[in-house]
Amino acid sequence: MVSPTTTSAPALSQVLDPALDDLGVRLHDDGGTLRVFSQAADSLDVVIFDADDLDWATAILPMQRRERGVWEITSELLVAGARYALRAAGPFGAGNIFNPQTLLLDPYGRGIVSSGFGDWRSVVVDRGFDWGEVRKPAVPLDRTIVYEAHVKGMTKRHPGVPAALHGTYAGLAHPAMIEYFLDLGVTTIELLPIHAFASEPRLLQLGLDNYWGYNTLGFFAPHAAYATDQARREGPDAVLREVKGMVKLLHQAGLEVVLDVVYNHTAEEGIGGPRSSLRGLDNRAYYRQQEDGTYIDVTGCGNSVNTATDAGARLVLDSLRYWARDVQIDGFRFDLATTLGRDDQHRFTPEHPLLRAIADDPELADTKKIAEPWDVGMGGWQTGNFGDGWHEWNDRYRDRVRNFWLSDVDYARRASTAPVGIGGFATRLAGSSNTFSAERGPLASINFVTAHDGFTLNDLVSYDVKHNLGNGEHNRDGADTNRSFNHGAEGATDDERILATRRKAMRNLMGTLLLSAGVPMITAGDEFGRTQRGNNNAYCHDSALTWLSWEHRPWQRDLFSHVRRLIELRAENPALRPIRFARLDEETPSASVMEWYDERGETMSGERWNDPAHRTLQYVAASTPEFEEFNRILLIVHGNETPVDVRLPVIDGVSRYVSLWSSAEESPSLEAPVLAPGDVVPTPPTSMHLFRAE
């Protein structure tokens, strides 16, 4: 790993410069004004098209150059509903690629439509919408349960959603879906990309589609294909209203909406790829390049947006402001966020002006900002290195939890003992203090065991290797190191012993996720054990492989009940969701004081922390002031495939332990057995058990 540079990044003089304000179209009573950035162009035209024939130009309007590379025009033709494109001319070379015959999207266009011939038109959109009295739910971070979902996949097969709404924004906000989210107990719906995107030509040639959406055409326009047929017929105005209507209804139910945003690259791919917008307007300003114009690709997608330039950084910031203000989005998950924090030498710095602007901007103050803290460039892995105001996907958490419950158990079956002890797992359980600073605290960590990218929870416990042949890349794509374990059979099996062990492994993984300090993220469908048949990179499958099925077997309903119960317990027990790391030398408000015991009820020794033969732990957490009430819990974790007797610890002020949950049970128990300090609890193999200490 290359450490982040500690030198200050050069200031981006125009991140907040008024000269770059109001790019895109602004409507007024007698038409509209369009402003476009292109420092390198010699001329810039707006081409207006017939609304019914997107190949028929009705007007070509030259734009006037203003200060700082901004071009401007005011015209009565720029009204709501107008279809338009840009044409740029300029010198060829020095990293720029101009072709005055190429029709380009406005980077700030609020609507995008296809011409039907592989290119696109921007659309002037009426942004008006009646939000009424609905406000953002503003769910506190310690109470946040993130649910990562795909707009289409979530509802495409849901029997309670009308067929006309299947796979749509409106379908996601249908009462049947809202009831499901509330019943499960999640608070924050994180949507895979809904910015307008396109499928790569390579995928289309294979008869596949870009399903996930990480191939952006425009950072301001919603993806029209997720709107209802009626909204698409009515046009981009109606599509935008449907998106806003979805947000409004989810907000009315108290649910937040977070967008997965892809600002690190665009659908224009590498040199020679599709030229739809930024490359044809100002290639040098918008993409990272060598002096000779060769792209510096730190994303693995052919290009990297250059946020070390004023234009690139401002494009990202303005897009965020638009979605947060106009569409009332509650937060953003930044795909390959390390790319956004690279300076003009292409090195990551947590003090990058754009990263600080995003964290400090008053218009984004009430939004959650979640970084995927890596990219594929040199020094790209930066987990724990983003600054104040940022939260991060914690891949260290993911890997350690998977290791503990899966690959370590697999190793122990073959070598008689696991490769490591329980110490590293305990650190993740307690909030990853070795990754996030005391100032940022445990809530800087977005804990996850699975995500859209990789195995589903069910596949994680059912496959040792990926099965991606259907992706058309000869099984070369997707991660090879998954830390998964099939428990004795690869994929589908009728062996009830194996199936039971897999089900318990899923309960252990979900139990760990929802009982750990930090912010948990559940991947849609994991709560009932969905499968993608071992495909760990299903980005190109818009089919029943990736759409959620709502026909569930009894074991799936049991798993759902476990997840719902765990979410309830997290809400009811503030000791499970500390805001700060506790300090040993003084009482820390809104923290949890943690104590650690072995299976004998004795304080954990250094030897036991690291001994692979001793993977049993009793974790006691007690909340400190500023929470709603004093609360103390006991969690038993047993990570070996042999049973063990656990003696409950004797602790001052604790007279009894009330059983709340156990992963050893197929269905969550409605009973709450009461045990005394010093009682011995027979603990089944590889299991977890939660108690309230009173």
Side-chain angles (χ1 to χ4, degrees), residues 22-320:
D22 296 328
L23 295 179
V25 174
R26 294 296 183 273
L27 294 173
H28 40 76
D29 290 341
D30 54 352
T33 297
L34 170 64
R35 287 164 54 85
V36 177
F37 173 85
S38 178
Q39 185 71 54
D42 290 336
S43 66
L44 205 62
D45 295 333
V46 183
V47 183
I48 308 295
F49 291 91
D50 184 286
D52 297 320
D53 186 349
L54 295 181
D55 285 326
W56 181 259
T58 60
I60 299 175
L61 310 174
M63 301 185 72
Q64 301 300 311
R65 191 181 185 107
R66 305 302 187 198
E67 61 178 326
R68 307 292 267 275
V70 173
W71 298 74
E72 183 176 291
I73 186 172
T74 297
S75 171
E76 70 276 6
L77 298 178
L78 290 170
V79 295
R83 272 65 170 162
Y84 68 101
L86 305 172
R87 294 193 317 191
F92 193 89
N96 280 304
I97 305 172
F98 288 105
N99 183 340
Q101 304 305 312
T102 301
L103 296 169
L104 305 168
L105 287 169
D106 174 5
Y108 281 71
R110 268 55 171 181
I112 294 176
V113 293
S114 171
S115 71
F117 295 95
D119 58 355
W120 311 86
R121 306 287 182 260
S122 298
V123 182
V124 180
V125 170
D126 181 352
R127 293 155 56 183
F129 185 79
D130 182 8
W131 290 97
E133 300 300 318
V134 177
R135 298 292 180 267
K136 295 182 179 182
V139 178
L141 270 166
D142 70 298
R143 289 187 169 273
T144 297
I145 309 288
V146 179
Y147 187 82
E148 189 196 40
H150 189 284
V151 169
K152 183 173 184 178
M154 197 73 202
T155 64
K156 182 64 177 176
R157 297 196 287 176
H158 197 291
V161 175
L165 304 185
H166 280 171
T168 68
Y169 301 115
L172 193 73
H174 186 271
M177 293 310 309
I178 289 176
E179 180 183 2
Y180 179 79
F181 295 139
L182 296 179
D183 184 38
L184 179 58
V186 296
T187 66
T188 304
I189 313 303
E190 181 180 303
L191 298 177
L192 267 66
I194 68 166
H195 288 172
F197 65 86
S199 291
E200 296 87 334
R202 176 186 60 82
L203 288 180
L204 296 176
Q205 291 171 2
L206 292 171
L208 300 170
D209 294 299
N210 188 316
Y211 173 67
W212 286 350
Y214 293 88
N215 200 45
T216 310
L217 280 171
F219 296 136
F220 291 80
H223 192 57
Y226 294 159
T228 56
D229 288 342
Q230 179 178 344
R232 293 201 302 274
R233 285 194 299 269
E234 293 177 9
D237 282 353
V239 171
L240 181 59
R241 285 196 301 272
E242 187 172 319
V243 174
K244 292 179 177 179
M246 171 192 73
V247 175
K248 181 177 180 179
L249 289 171
L250 291 171
H251 281 179
Q252 281 180 329
L255 295 164
E256 294 182 313
V257 180
V258 168
L259 298 187
D260 193 334
V261 286
V262 189
Y263 295 120
N264 59 83
H265 75 280
T266 75
E268 291 188 302
E269 301 183 7
I271 297 293
R275 188 185 313 179
S276 57
S277 184
L278 303 181
R279 180 178 295 141
L281 287 171
D282 199 324
N283 188 47
R284 176 64 79 179
Y286 281 117
Y287 292 121
R288 294 186 180 273
Q289 302 174 35
Q290 308 279 9
E291 287 301 317
D292 64 359
T294 302
Y295 276 8
I296 297 172
D297 179 12
V298 297
T299 68
C301 300
N303 66 64
S304 304
V305 173
N306 191 357
T307 56
T309 68
D310 303 314
R314 187 61 184 268
L315 177 66
V316 173
L317 189 63
D318 285 346
S319 172
L320 293 169

Side-chain angles (χ1 to χ4, degrees), residues 417-455:
T417 185
V420 296
I422 203 169
F425 175 85
T427 300
R428 300 301 162 198
L429 190 68
S432 297
S433 61
N434 63 345
T435 301
F436 299 100
S437 67
E439 291 72 24
R440 297 179 68 193
L443 297 181
S445 177
I446 304 297
N447 296 334
F448 68 108
V449 176
T450 68
H452 67 276
D453 185 3
F455 280 142

